[in-house]
Amino acid sequence: MTYQKSHEIYLDYAATSPMDPKVLSAMTEVLAQEFGNPSSVTHAFGWRAKAKIDEARASVAECLQAKPEEIIFTSGATESNNLAILGVAHACKARSQSIVTLKTEHKATLAAVDHLRQEGYSVRLLGVDAAGRVKMDEFEAALKTSPSLVSVMMVNNETGVVQDLPVLLEKAKAAGAFFHVDAAQAMGKIPVDLSALPIDLLSISAHKVYGPKGVGALYLRSRPKVPLRPLLFGGSQERSLRPGTLATHQIVGLAKALELASTSLAQDLAHVNLLSQELLGRLALLPKIQVNGFAAKRVPHILNVRFSGVDAEALLASLPQLAVSMGSACTSGTTEASHVLSAMGLSDEEANASLRFSFGRFTALADIRTAADAVVEAVAQLRALSPIWELA
Amino acid sequence: MSLPLSPVLAKSFQDLRFRGWNFSPSYWVQAGSRSEGRLIELAVLLPHEKIEAIGFKAFGDAYTIGILSWVCSQVFGQTWDSLSKLSLPAMVGELQIPSHKVSAAVLIEECIQKLMEKKTCVKTKN
């Protein structure tokens, strides 16, 4: 299946991934044939839809090495993160009003903890080292506040840096905190085995792993029970923790995407490793480039590269055929550097000189070669134009 | 993220004619700074009252480079006075510059002003 026009090269898989045709097929079948409400208990239309939901739930649980009753379907990782963070914080309010997370988390987490801060909670945003790993001394000090919840993302969405979850989990557990993991960029990309990593809550999304947008899940450990307050009210679906009519086709799509990712994990990993090496090898023809987070353990499908002396937005404009992301965002007249790269100690100029390349199952090696050559040419051209590069 | 550029600006950004210069400029000015994220240089060859050559160097975003390139294309081969017609509203309107990127055009207007002042100063001294 071709998802892009012949001249376009999509290297923004960390933003979203194209849907696997097998996922589309599974969803189409449900959309066409199973329109029943899975909560309708009085007729076969509802029963059949519920059977699809049950099957999907069991499949998602199996991918995580979890139990089906530990899966709550949501609209995606943003909702899962909000439900986990606000839900646990509110449920544990009498015991503790302290929450711990990292400065490099996704905005879905940072905005949720900011909301808690406005409610009067004490929020500790921990720093990271130059490679993007949490500063262990800050982590240990924060645990002394007896937080109800620690929230850490498994794979950073901008840099691909992988946090050392087993170590962090052990320390958080010893401090009596519940442990939430945003695994949106990890699920289906690297092994996630909850029988080996006994975290309490885990957020996942379908569209990052070749599934549809608008669906995700929150894993909620059943034993020991994790207290959780819902964000929404109005129905008994998902044990009243996430009420609302379940979108059968979306949930089937999520399950199919995760099933495919599980079965092809080794193959996908080998493929993106090859792509990563090829891209980096070609970009290395340029002097003064650096991979942000290079010294840390990283996933191969995300590569955040800094091109000294170049503004990433100008570089993007030079590469209209490439779909990649910048490490910055424009807001009200100024270019705001990425909060992730800033937390890693990069200056605004360095952060604004960074591009994120991310790729996946459907990225061809030839596309990587074409993209890398185009980037090398564009960077050289912009540097030739730059009075700063002359000074370097 | 502020891309995509307007068609005119995108075309100007891709226009390589005026990038850098290999002539000995009659006047050369600089505006902005590295710490601001925009540093630009503009050079003109003006043996008489006609701009016979013009070139720029720039470190900055796509708007900075695109607007500078467009300015050069507008005044190349024209009389010196053509520079004074490139007002900020003219640049913003012609290139459809979004409000959060007007600062790039402001810097370029500042650069043009410096250039004009420099010429005036030199003329006065003469």
Side-chain angles (χ1 to χ4, degrees):
Chain A
M1 182 178 279
T2 303
Y3 287 100
Q4 56 204 42
K5 293 176 184 171
S6 59
H7 62 285
E8 293 176 337
I9 298 176
Y10 186 77
L11 299 178
D12 204 12
Y13 276 67
T16 194
S17 59
M19 202 146 56
D20 191 296
K22 289 174 188 159
V23 174
L24 183 61
S25 172
M27 289 178 68
T28 306
E29 187 188 321
V30 173
L31 269 172
Q33 294 171 17
E34 304 296 353
F35 70 90
N37 186 332
S39 297
S40 297
V41 294
T42 54
H43 50 71
F45 293 88
W47 304 336
R48 285 198 299 269
K50 184 171 185 305
K52 289 285 182 190
I53 296 287
D54 289 346
E55 198 181 315
R57 196 184 303 277
S59 176
V60 171
E62 191 183 335
C63 291
L64 290 166
Q65 298 296 304
K67 298 172 201 153
E69 64 270 24
E70 294 177 319
I71 305 300
I72 300 167
F73 292 118
T74 66
S75 63
T78 293
E79 186 189 334
S80 297
N81 285 348
N82 273 269
L83 179 56
I85 293 165
L86 300 177
V88 170
H90 289 157
C92 297
K93 191 173 183 180
R95 176 168 73 83
S96 165
Q97 291 190 43
S98 169
I99 305 289
V100 173
T101 189
L102 312 188
K103 287 180 180 171
T104 50
E105 293 294 305
H106 190 275
K107 292 284 185 189
T109 292
L110 294 176
V113 298
D114 192 51
H115 182 79
L116 287 173
R117 194 199 305 272
Q118 288 168 35
E119 286 183 3
Y121 285 76
S122 163
V123 175
R124 280 171 175 75
L125 294 180
L126 309 184
V128 296
D129 64 16
R133 294 165 296 211
V134 62
K135 287 179 177 167
M136 205 52 80
D137 56 336
E138 285 192 24
F139 189 74
E140 287 167 352
L143 291 179
K144 287 179 183 161
T145 64
S146 302
S148 57
L149 183 76
V150 172
S151 181
V152 179
M153 74 201 312
M154 191 175 276
V155 171
N156 187 273
N157 57 310
E158 290 192 27
T159 59
V161 167
V162 182
Q163 295 294 342
D164 191 353
L165 288 187
V167 170
L168 300 178
L169 174 64
E170 192 184 338
K171 289 178 188 291
K173 287 278 126 190
F178 291 109
F179 200 85
H180 166 247
V181 171
D182 175 356
Q185 296 289 348
M187 196 62 206
K189 308 292 175 72
I190 57 174
V192 179
D193 180 353
L194 296 180
S195 65
L197 191 68
I199 60 180
D200 300 302
L201 308 103
L202 179 121
S203 301
I204 58 177
S205 171
H207 76 100
K208 307 285 190 190
V209 62
Y210 317 108
K213 290 161 189 65
V215 65
L218 176 67
Y219 159 82
L220 180 69
R221 182 168 292 282
S222 56
R223 284 188 191 172
K225 192 176 181 216
V226 181
L228 191 78
R229 290 253 179 98
L231 300 179
L232 304 173
F233 302 89
S236 59
Q237 293 90 349
E238 304 302 88
R239 290 176 287 137
S240 297
L241 291 170
R242 205 285 187 179
T245 302
L246 292 169
T248 313
H249 63 293
Q250 297 287 83
I251 289 166
V252 165
L254 166 68
K256 188 67 181 174
L258 291 180
E259 178 203 320
L260 290 171
S262 291
T263 53
S264 65
L265 185 63
Q267 195 182 330
D268 285 350
L269 257 175
H271 180 58
V272 293
N273 253 318
L274 177 70
L275 300 178
S276 181
Q277 285 167 19
E278 184 70 18
L279 179 59
L280 205 48
R282 287 183 179 241
L283 294 181
L285 291 172
L286 289 164
K288 292 204 174 181
I289 69 155
Q290 198 155 349
V291 174
N292 294 318
F294 182 76
K297 183 182 174 189
R298 290 179 301 109
V299 289
H301 69 280
I302 298 175
L303 205 54
N304 194 309
V305 186
R306 190 160 88 225
F307 302 94
S308 296
V310 168
D311 183 281
E313 192 195 90
L315 183 54
L316 274 186
S318 305
L319 300 163
Q321 73 277 36
L322 297 193
V324 293
S325 275
M326 290 198 303
S328 56
C330 258
T331 50
S332 60
T334 57
T335 302
E336 190 179 292
S338 146
H339 72 283
V340 175
L341 299 180
S342 295
M344 290 164 68
L346 271 68
S347 66
D348 284 1
E349 184 185 317
E350 289 171 328
N352 292 336
S354 301
L355 282 186
R356 179 188 70 181
F357 303 87
S358 53
F359 29 82
R361 190 182 295 161
F362 303 112
T363 310
L365 185 58
D367 283 347
I368 288 289
R369 288 175 175 153
T370 303
D373 293 348
V375 171
V376 168
E377 190 183 334
V379 169
Q381 204 169 77
L382 287 171
R383 281 177 172 173
L385 177 69
S386 170
I388 283 176
W389 186 247
E390 282 176 0
L391 302 171
Chain B
M1 184 72 192
S2 52
L3 303 177
L5 309 175
S6 71
V8 180
L9 200 54
K11 197 177 165 199
S12 296
F13 180 86
Q14 299 294 342
D15 185 357
L16 300 174
R17 282 179 300 162
F18 303 105
R19 296 187 185 198
W21 57 88
N22 55 7
F23 53 86
S24 180
S26 310
Y27 304 105
W28 171 90
V29 287
Q30 193 179 58
S33 70
R34 184 174 185 160
S35 60
E36 288 169 40
R38 290 189 180 113
L39 179 64
I40 59 178
E41 294 176 358
L42 194 56
V44 291
L45 179 64
L46 192 76
H48 304 291
E49 281 303 298
K50 188 179 160 191
I51 298 172
E52 288 204 351
I54 187 164
F56 71 92
K57 291 181 183 178
F59 164 70
D61 56 6
Y63 285 86
T64 306
I65 295 171
I67 298 167
L68 263 173
S69 179
W70 180 81
V71 162
C72 292
S73 70
Q74 294 298 299
V75 300
F76 173 64
Q78 304 295 313
T79 59
W80 175 254
D81 290 346
S82 61
L83 268 171
S84 62
K85 290 173 190 162
L86 294 174
S87 64
L88 183 61
M91 283 190 259
V92 170
E94 189 70 28
L95 301 173
Q96 295 168 41
I97 300 167
S99 57
H100 66 283
K101 285 291 186 180
V102 168
S103 50
V106 169
L107 183 68
I108 288 155
E109 189 191 40
E110 181 191 325
C111 196
I112 292 170
Q113 287 295 331
K114 278 186 178 179
L115 197 61
M116 297 185 82
E117 281 166 18
K118 207 161 196 174
K119 181 174 181 282
T120 309
C121 284
V122 172
K123 212 172 180 178
T124 310
K125 279 179 193 171
N126 286 345

